[in-house]
């Protein structure tokens, strides 16, 4: 499917058109400037054209930060390519900056020679000051290395939409569409689909629709008619596996996975949730799908959200709760109850920067140990992580399957990058999805001497307990958080019983079969393995491609199951001289691996709230081959007081 | 994002109000044969302290349940943590002994997904009003179909005797050797203030009175809050003696819908309007038409609130009986109505949903 990877390959095709195999575009502006909308539309365009792509939005934490300030900058990045891209790209090749703050916040990522398009109307003295500039940077030598296009977008937009008769302020609001028009021209994209979208979106306000369309066209015409751009570009469609595709974000794919569970299990899906960034979109999405057998409950707090989900599970529904790190902390006790009562429960944690409130809109993978161990007592819980936005669908199905089949809480660890990022998704056929069987007890199981049902009678092989739900006559029983007597489920404090039950609960989770870990090593002779989990899948993949192109032999593997770990993991790790583990935390998976396996584990860590860039990982690989990686990692922790404020 | 067919819902009658007037038992399957209290006794050995008020409550509940005539397997008792929360183990129904304060949350999830169950929460004063206070008020506000039996012994029993949110100010306990400086909740004021649609109170030993409120609570569609004043002879012995002694009648204001509120052994006291609220007067001093006639069904919360203020922490007066029983939409009925509505207006199958509006094909 993929042919080459050479990010800078550019060949001219005919007059004024240059062919690229990929490009990364970032548009940035004030959070009220409509950057996400423009980005979404460019994405839809690229997807419809057949490019492979990946996107990554970046939101300010404040909803309405003061206009024109660095706090208020919102941006959207997309990589489009004629091959299968894995990330939204490290650095933009093209940066659109709608104001000085957006320029300042983003220009550091633009490589020398990159294309910079700025909306000069906003470059007033006042706005420059708000962004912390004491002069106009565009006039300095610093910017000579970029291909700068200064466009008075607000003025041009106002002129273009004059006929609509809006006030200047409202008229200028369409400048995001002007910018989108310029980009559409640069990459040879037709406008029809966007125009159709705008007409639908503003169906009730035809004036606004008109203004947006005029601005879009004006931007397109600007590219075509001015001499400003020497060339436009062409990125050919990618050769993706055959199928029907759509664009999807991680939170949406995850929600769809839950809809599919309702269908394949025949169980009602009950989502209990409390609003929290960046997980709320799951609640929003599912609340609109009541006709698919999903009920949503916006609870009074995180604890009520998980409690209600567990209550629904007790009644034979699949209880699901969605949250982010701080919320997971609040849910710990209830998850422990699900461990003790051995009821299905799906806990979705869309990780963000922590500890405490941390970085609500930024990404991190630092809840792995919390997911594995963040409860009192011996409290084993299966943990699963999706590796990309579209993969959230499969991950949700897999997590639900384990929860239902093994009567256990399961924690699904998504993160901010996956949740809001998007990519094309090959839509599965619902009819082909495997069924999930809740296998409710209908007659007494493990009958006691008195002939009564024993709720903790287990399957001899899987140790899964019998599950009778209210309404099943003759199977009435009581369960709860106190230690259960083996079999009967009555309260038991005896030492032997607690010893037994603790070990049985652990063995049940440990024994859940998960697929063997697959290793990708075309050379078959690599000595270094790059092992990741979760959203670092994309950057790891791109870094490995690059290293291989440069002639290095590198193996890679990615963990979906973080508990239990694949049974061949120890054997895989043992095959390599060194195992590099990139994680957006301070080495949590590394810690687990070191405790469990005899292998040379070297973490590659990052905790900036921003996902790994593939070039960072590529450099880490080069450092490994140069023998300096371990030292680099150590140096990340400030060794002297130089980095901190001294009291 | 999904397009949601909500516009059709705005301002329309969802049919919730009529449903709310139904009995909570309408959708619960009925038992075929006759049941007895013994049918509801589990094999588990009861482990409360001797003399604990919980015993008599258990006995009353066991003899009340057969009167409902429900299938035993469609009854669920859910508790939190505390002495009272052992309750579910002793009943041969379905039951969950959950975690501290959270029983109403489990009951909410269960109630929304299983309209065919009669759901009972058993809790205590610490469980419901301290650690679980948030869940209690939100369950009441939402009016989720569940009955909440709060055993109020005004003490933490299971943790061996600390004061609770209903303990009287000045109470000397293990954690308050100088006396508590906390002000207690007025339980009725709290629940009425949280929009409760059903509020009742009974004394553990008052079998008839307790049975009466339990039967009414069982049928109430919505959250039925029942406070049971319960003795803990071990850590708070005699705490309700004022309501049990010979002159108890002059402290217990028992209310019955439609009847003038008169109490005392000879009916010598009555309740009258006073200032913005209600007060106690001597019956002889009052014209009969000035005696307040109890109206449990009035939507006006101010009345129920005024009634609740008659109860005092020193137990000079305690109001018992069904204080409030009004009909209003329940949360779980509302959810189910919306689901039915969504199904009736949205024909989309799952494959169509997954496909969304913009797809492209790679061949
Ligand atoms: S401590 Fe008090 S409330 Fe608890 S069981 Fe003993 S007597 Fe009953």
């Amino acid at each position: 499917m993929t042919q080459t990877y050479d990010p800078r390959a550019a060949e001219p095709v005919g007059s004024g058109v240059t062919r690229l195999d990929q490009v990364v575009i970032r548009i940035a502006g004030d959070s009220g400037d409509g950057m996400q909308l423009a980005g979404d539309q460019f994405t839809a365009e690229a997807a419809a054209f057949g490019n492979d792509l990946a996107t990554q939005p970046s939101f300010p934490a404040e909803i309405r930060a003061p206009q024109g300030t660095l706090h208020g900058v919102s941006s959207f990045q997309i990589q489009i390519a004629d091959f299968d891209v894995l990330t939204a790209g490290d650095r933009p090749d093209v940066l659109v900056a709608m104001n000085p703050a957006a320029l300042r916040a983003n220009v550091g990522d633009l490589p020398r020679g990159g294309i910079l398009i700025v909306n000069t109307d906003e470059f007033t003295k006042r706005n420059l000051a708000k962004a912390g500039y004491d002069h106009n940077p565009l006039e300095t030598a610093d910017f000579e290395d970029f291909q700068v296009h200064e466009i008075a977008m607000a003025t041009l937009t106002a002129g273009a939409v004059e006929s609509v008769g809006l006030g200047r302020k409202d008229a200028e609001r369409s400048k995001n569409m002007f910018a989108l028009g310029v980009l559409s021209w640069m990459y040879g994209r037709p406008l029809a689909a966007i125009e159709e979208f705008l007409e639908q979106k503003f169906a009730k306000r035809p004036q606004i629709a008109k203004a947006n369309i005029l601005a879009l066209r004006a931007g397109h015409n600007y590219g075509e008619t001015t001499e400003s751009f020497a060339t436009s570009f062409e990125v050919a469609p990618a050769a993706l596996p055959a199928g029907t595709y759509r664009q999807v974000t991680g939170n949406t794919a995850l929600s769809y996975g839950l809809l599919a569970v309702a269908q394949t299990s025949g169980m009602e899906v009950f989502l209990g949730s409390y609003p929290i960034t960046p997980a709320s979109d799951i609640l929003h999405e599912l609340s609109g799908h009541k006709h698919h057998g999903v009920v949503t409950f916006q609870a009074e707090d995180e604890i009520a959200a998980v409690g209600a989900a567990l209550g629904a599970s007790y009644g034979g529904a699949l209880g699901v709760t969605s949250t982010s790190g701080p919320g997971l902390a609040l849910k710990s006790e209830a998850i422990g109850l699900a461990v003790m009562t051995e009821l299905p429960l799906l806990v979705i944690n869309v990780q963000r920067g922590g500890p405490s409130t941390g970085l609500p809109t930024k990404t991190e993978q630092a809840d792995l140990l919390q997911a594995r161990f963040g409860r009192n007592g011996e409290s084993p819980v299966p943990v699963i992580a999706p590796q990309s936005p579209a993969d959230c669908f499969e991950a949700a199905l897999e997590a639900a399957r384990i929860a239902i089949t093994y009567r256990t809480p399961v924690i699904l660890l998504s993160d901010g990058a996956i949740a809001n990022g998007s990519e094309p998704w090959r839509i599965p056929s619902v009819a082909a999805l495997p069924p999930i069987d809740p296998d409710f007890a209908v007659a007494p199981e493990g009958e006691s001497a008195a002939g009564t049902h024993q709720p903790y009678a287990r399957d001899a092989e899987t140790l899964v307990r019998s599950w009778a739900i209210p309404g099943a006559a003759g199977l009435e029983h009581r369960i709860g958080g106190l230690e259960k007597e083996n079999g009967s489920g009555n309260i038991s404090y005896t030492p032997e019983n607690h010893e037994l039950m603790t070990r049985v609960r652990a063995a049940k989770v440990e024994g859940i079969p998960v697929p063997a870990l697959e290793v990708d090593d075309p050379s078959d002779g690599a000595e270094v393995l790059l092992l990741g989990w979760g959203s670092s899948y994309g950057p790891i993949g791109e870094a490995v491609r690059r290293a291989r192109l440069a002639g290095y032999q590198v193996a890679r593997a990615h963990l979906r199951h973080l508990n239990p770990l694949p049974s061949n993991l120890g054997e895989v790790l043992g095959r390599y001289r060194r195992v590099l583990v990139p994680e957006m935390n301070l080495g949590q998976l590394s810690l687990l691996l070191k405790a469990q396996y005899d292998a040379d584990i070297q973490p590659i860590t990052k905790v900036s709230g921003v996902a790994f860039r593939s070039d960072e990982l590529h450099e880490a690989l080069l450092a490994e081959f140069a023998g300096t990686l371990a030292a680099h990692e150590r140096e990340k922790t400030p060794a002297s007081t130089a980095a901190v404020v001294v009291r | 994002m999904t397009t949601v067919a909500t516009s059709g819902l705005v301002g329309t009658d969802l049919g919730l109000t009529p449903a709310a007037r139904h009995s909570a038992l309408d959708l619960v399957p009925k038992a075929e044969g006759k049941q007895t209290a013994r049918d509801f006794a589990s094999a588990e050995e009861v482990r409360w302290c001797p003399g604990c008020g919980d015993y008599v409550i258990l006995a009353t509940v066991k003899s009340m349940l057969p009167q409902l005539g429900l299938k035993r397997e469609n009854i669920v008792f859910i508790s939190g943590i505390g002495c009272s929360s052992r309750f579910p183990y002793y009943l041969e129904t379905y039951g969950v002994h959950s975690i501290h304060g959270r029983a109403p949350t489990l009951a909410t999830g269960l109630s929304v997904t299983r309209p065919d169950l009669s759901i009972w929460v058993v809790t205590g004063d610490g469980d419901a009003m301290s650690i679980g206070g948030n869940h209690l008020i939100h369950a009441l506000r939402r009016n989720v179909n569940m009955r909440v039996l709060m055993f109020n012994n005004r003490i933490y029993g299971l943790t061996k005797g600390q004061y609770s949110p209903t303990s009287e100010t000045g109470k000397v306990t293990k954690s308050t050797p100088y006396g508590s400086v906390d002000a207690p909740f007025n339980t009725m004021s709290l629940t009425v203030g949280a929009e409760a649609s059903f509020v009742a109170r009974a004394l553990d030993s008052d079998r008839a009175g307790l049975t009466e409120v339990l039967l009414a609570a069982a049928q109430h569609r919505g959250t039925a809050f029942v406070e049971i004043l319960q003795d803990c002879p071990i850590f708070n012995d005699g705490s309700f003696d004022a309501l049990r002694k010979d002159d108890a009648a002059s402290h217990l204001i028992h209310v019955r819908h439609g009847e003038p509120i008169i109490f005392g052994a000879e009916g010598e006291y009555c309740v009258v309007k006073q200032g913005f609220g209600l007060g106690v007067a001597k019956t002889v001093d009052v014209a009969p038409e000035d005696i307040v006639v109890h109206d449990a069904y009035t939507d006006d919360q101010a009345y129920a609130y005024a009634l609740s203020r008659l109860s005092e922490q020193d137990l000079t007066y305690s109001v018992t009986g069904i204080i409030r029983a009004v009909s209003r939409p329940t949360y779980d009925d509302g959810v189910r109505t919306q689901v039915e509505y969504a199904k009736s207006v949205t024909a989309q199958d799952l494959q169509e949903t997954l496909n969304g509006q913009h797809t492209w094909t790679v061949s």
Side-chain angles (χ1 to χ4, degrees):
Chain A
M1 58 195 199
T2 309
Q3 304 86 23
T4 54
Y5 179 78
D6 182 0
R8 296 275 172 249
E11 57 178 294
V13 278
S15 70
V17 182
T18 306
R19 177 175 296 156
L20 301 172
D21 58 6
Q22 58 80 239
V23 68
V24 178
I25 299 167
R26 185 187 298 176
I27 52 176
D30 208 66
S31 54
D33 281 347
M35 295 296 94
Q36 305 302 331
L37 181 90
D40 282 341
Q41 286 311 301
F42 192 79
T43 306
E45 230 177 43
F49 183 75
N51 292 132
D52 195 17
L53 61 89
T55 74
Q56 190 63 59
S58 169
F59 310 103
E62 291 79 14
I63 301 303
R64 282 275 176 268
Q67 221 184 354
T69 62
L70 290 168
H71 293 300
V73 175
S74 156
S75 71
F76 184 97
Q77 182 161 310
I78 177 169
Q79 171 158 228
I80 58 174
D82 67 0
F83 57 90
D84 64 326
V85 292
L86 299 172
T87 72
D90 288 354
R91 300 169 184 284
D93 302 299
V94 181
L95 172 65
V96 180
M98 300 301 283
N99 66 14
L103 178 70
R104 190 174 178 124
N106 291 284
V107 76
D109 292 339
L110 189 67
R112 298 284 139 189
I115 298 174
L116 174 63
I117 302 172
V118 289
N119 169 27
T120 50
D121 283 326
E122 289 290 321
F123 280 63
T124 61
K125 219 171 159 175
R126 196 159 159 248
N127 286 346
L128 286 165
K130 275 198 219 166
Y133 285 121
D134 53 11
H135 61 279
N136 188 345
L138 300 172
E139 290 160 4
T140 65
D142 289 355
F143 282 68
E144 277 171 8
D145 291 345
F146 300 126
Q147 304 177 48
V148 184
H149 300 278
E150 300 187 27
I151 310 178
M153 291 193 210
T155 309
L156 289 170
T157 300
V161 310
E162 207 176 348
S163 63
V164 180
L166 296 168
R168 166 116 190 165
K169 216 168 165 194
D170 281 336
E172 285 184 4
R173 248 188 215 147
S174 302
K175 62 182 183 293
N176 60 334
M177 288 299 113
F178 186 96
L180 181 59
V182 174
L183 289 172
S184 300
W185 173 80
M186 282 175 72
Y187 295 94
R189 302 301 152 102
L191 302 182
I194 306 178
E195 294 190 4
E196 198 182 308
F197 164 84
L198 290 168
E199 262 159 15
Q200 272 179 18
K201 179 171 169 72
F202 299 111
K204 293 205 176 112
R205 288 177 294 166
Q207 269 197 319
I208 305 285
K210 190 95 206 284
N212 275 288
I213 290 169
L214 288 173
L216 179 72
R217 289 183 188 162
H220 196 271
N221 293 342
Y222 180 90
E224 194 161 277
T225 54
T226 63
E227 306 271 292
S228 164
F229 295 90
T231 177
S232 65
F233 303 93
E234 185 183 301
V235 180
L240 297 172
T244 303
Y245 285 77
R246 63 168 285 174
Q247 186 62 18
V248 80
T249 67
N251 276 345
T252 307
L254 217 163
S255 306
Y256 286 178
L258 297 175
L259 298 183
V261 170
Q263 182 123 343
T264 60
S265 67
M267 299 161 81
E268 193 168 7
V269 169
F270 177 97
L271 176 79
S273 191
Y274 185 75
I276 186 167
T277 304
S280 302
D281 279 343
I282 297 169
L283 170 62
H284 303 161
E285 182 67 42
L286 286 177
S287 62
H289 291 288
K290 300 195 194 314
H291 54 293
H292 287 314
V294 175
V295 170
T296 56
F297 168 60
Q298 183 176 316
E300 60 271 23
D301 60 28
E302 295 282 359
I303 299 171
V306 66
L310 190 58
S313 281
Y314 177 72
L318 174 65
V320 183
T321 187
S322 53
T323 189
S324 188
L328 183 63
L330 286 164
K331 294 179 197 296
S332 310
E333 190 191 11
I335 297 171
L337 178 64
V339 169
M340 194 61 128
T341 52
E342 300 188 45
L343 285 171
L345 176 71
L346 176 49
V347 181
I348 296 161
N349 176 11
V350 185
Q351 299 165 94
R352 64 193 217 185
S356 186
T357 314
L359 307 174
T361 59
K362 305 294 174 196
T363 194
E364 208 161 270
Q365 296 178 297
D367 297 346
L368 174 59
L369 295 182
Q370 183 188 9
R372 281 290 309 266
F373 306 116
R375 292 165 296 283
N376 62 307
E378 292 292 346
S379 180
V381 170
V383 180
I384 280 183
Q387 63 186 30
S388 74
D391 184 48
C392 285
F393 181 83
E394 287 292 331
L397 279 180
E398 173 70 349
R401 185 189 65 79
I402 292 178
I404 295 165
T405 311
Y406 293 89
R407 288 88 159 101
T408 175
V410 174
I411 297 178
L412 187 152
L413 288 179
S414 179
D415 67 37
I418 286 181
N420 293 317
S422 76
E423 64 179 352
W425 174 42
R426 186 151 61 117
I427 305 163
S429 155
V430 171
L433 296 172
I436 301 174
D437 180 9
D439 189 23
F440 298 126
V442 289
E445 294 185 4
E447 276 181 59
S448 69
T452 55
H453 173 64
Q454 302 221 55
Y456 283 76
R458 295 175 189 277
D459 181 278
E461 207 165 297
T462 61
L463 300 176
V464 169
R465 85 167 176 93
S466 168
W467 183 18
I469 60 172
L475 307 188
E476 294 90 339
H477 65 275
R478 276 65 54 194
I479 56 175
L482 286 172
E483 182 60 280
K484 310 264 79 68
E485 184 180 69
N486 183 26
S488 74
N490 291 338
I491 302 171
S492 168
Y493 299 141
T494 69
E496 304 76 24
N497 182 72
H498 181 54
E499 182 93 35
L500 173 75
M501 292 297 271
T502 305
R503 292 182 191 280
V504 165
R505 284 187 290 266
K508 180 184 83 169
V509 170
E510 196 51 43
I512 295 172
V514 306
L517 183 67
E518 285 177 29
V519 179
D520 163 41
D521 177 16
S523 71
D524 214 21
E527 295 187 349
V528 172
L529 170 73
L530 216 55
L531 178 71
W533 69 279
S535 70
S536 54
Y537 176 81
I540 293 174
E542 289 193 356
V544 166
R545 274 182 191 170
R546 278 210 215 179
R548 286 177 186 162
L549 276 172
Y552 294 97
Q553 294 186 349
V554 186
R556 73 164 305 197
H558 209 73
L559 288 169
R560 171 186 288 296
H561 293 269
L562 282 320
N563 195 38
L565 292 160
S567 56
N568 67 332
L569 181 57
E571 181 267 314
V572 167
L573 299 181
R575 274 191 250 149
Y576 297 91
R577 176 176 60 78
R578 182 152 304 159
V579 179
L580 309 183
V581 183
E583 297 182 83
M584 292 187 281
N585 58 47
L586 295 183
Q588 300 193 1
L589 176 62
S590 304
L591 184 71
L592 293 177
L593 298 177
K594 283 179 193 168
Q596 214 167 329
Y597 304 105
D598 186 19
D600 186 345
I601 309 281
Q602 172 62 54
I604 302 173
T605 59
K606 181 174 185 180
V607 282
S608 64
V610 182
F612 278 113
R613 293 197 318 266
S614 58
D615 63 0
E616 288 171 335
L617 294 177
H618 178 64
E619 278 157 28
L621 267 176
L622 297 187
E624 167 60 25
F625 287 111
T628 54
L629 178 62
H632 280 180
E633 278 299 315
R634 278 196 301 274
E635 282 160 16
K636 285 181 179 170
T637 302
S640 71
T641 53
V644 301
V645 175
V646 179
R647 65 193 174 112
Chain B
M1 275 309 289
T2 341
T3 355
V4 189
T6 46
S7 51
L9 282 173
V10 177
T12 60
D13 181 2
L14 293 174
L16 299 181
T17 317
R21 284 193 206 104
H22 294 164
S23 160
L25 306 180
D26 282 356
L27 302 174
V28 185
K30 306 295 174 293
E32 271 140 34
K34 207 171 136 43
Q35 298 165 323
T36 65
R38 196 170 307 161
D39 292 327
F40 288 93
S42 79
E44 188 107 355
E45 179 197 343
V46 184
R47 300 191 215 184
W48 289 306
C49 309
C52 176
D54 291 356
Y55 281 98
V56 55
I57 302 173
L58 177 63
T60 305
V61 168
K62 269 194 218 159
S63 59
M64 177 275 301
L65 287 172
Q67 299 180 49
L68 301 178
L70 304 175
K71 283 194 167 167
R72 204 171 60 172
E73 62 269 25
N74 287 78
I75 300 174
V76 181
F77 277 78
I78 303 179
S79 62
I81 294 294
C83 294
S84 58
S85 289
R86 298 294 177 94
F87 205 85
Y89 288 114
Y90 308 137
L91 288 173
E92 191 58 24
T93 63
Y94 279 87
V96 186
H97 178 207
S98 77
I99 45 178
H100 208 6
R102 318 303 174 197
T105 72
L106 278 90
T108 298
L110 189 61
S111 179
V112 167
T113 50
R114 293 290 304 267
D116 60 327
L117 303 178
S118 175
I119 300 171
W120 300 70
V121 167
V122 177
T123 180
D125 41 321
D127 194 56
M129 296 206 159
S130 197
I131 194 167
N134 197 31
H135 308 308
L136 177 68
I137 59 172
H138 287 279
L140 292 171
R141 148 179 96 80
R142 291 191 187 102
N143 204 27
V144 186
N145 250 308
M146 64 170 88
R147 287 102 274 302
V148 180
L149 311 186
M150 185 182 89
F151 300 6
N152 181 8
N153 56 13
R154 308 181 86 186
I155 197 79
Y156 283 102
L158 194 67
T159 51
K160 303 198 172 138
Q162 300 81 12
Y163 76 105
S164 88
T166 56
S167 296
E168 57 279 19
T169 304
K171 190 172 195 69
V172 174
T173 70
K174 277 196 186 134
S175 60
T176 50
Y178 293 96
S180 157
V181 294
D182 268 22
F185 275 132
N186 177 317
T187 55
M188 299 285 114
S189 299
L190 177 74
T191 50
V192 167
E195 312 289 341
S197 57
F198 183 102
V199 178
R201 181 194 270 152
L203 199 56
D204 53 4
S205 52
D206 176 12
R207 219 161 159 146
L210 181 53
T211 303
E212 178 192 330
V213 298
L214 290 175
L215 286 172
Q219 290 167 58
H220 179 74
R221 198 158 191 88
T223 308
F225 179 82
V226 178
E227 177 185 2
I228 304 170
L229 306 178
Q230 174 238 323
D231 249 347
C232 168
I234 304 297
F235 296 108
N236 203 12
D237 194 23
S239 58
F240 293 110
D241 276 0
L243 309 179
R244 302 183 202 275
K245 287 190 189 136
D246 292 348
D247 66 340
S250 56
H251 299 294
L252 277 168
I253 307 179
H254 191 73
V255 295
R256 224 179 272 280
H257 177 76
E259 292 181 11
I261 308 176
I262 298 171
F263 63 104
E266 311 288 332
E268 62 269 39
Y269 301 107
C270 65
V271 171
V272 295
K273 287 186 186 164
Q274 208 171 74
F276 289 112
L278 301 176
V280 172
K282 285 213 167 104
T283 312
V284 290
D285 299 341
V286 175
E289 63 270 25
D290 287 342
I291 298 176
V292 171
V293 175
H294 179 51
D295 185 355
Y297 305 150
T298 177
D299 283 332
D300 181 6
Q301 277 166 318
Y303 167 69
Y305 190 81
L307 200 56
S308 76
R309 300 315 289 175
L310 296 174
S311 300
E312 291 177 25
Q313 57 165 313
D314 65 3
L315 305 182
T316 304
Y317 301 116
S318 285
V319 181
T320 58
I322 299 167
I323 282 98
R324 179 173 172 78
V326 300
S327 190
R328 70 179 178 87
T330 73
Y331 179 82
D332 48 309
D333 285 324
V335 171
R336 287 187 290 267
T337 306
Q338 277 197 336
V339 169
E340 288 314 310
Y341 175 82
K343 284 182 176 160
S344 73
V345 297
T346 318
Q348 198 180 40
D349 75 10
L350 181 58
Q351 190 68 57
E352 288 172 297
T353 300
L354 301 194
N355 289 351
Q357 295 183 337
H358 299 286
T359 59
W360 67 94
T361 305
V362 174
S363 45

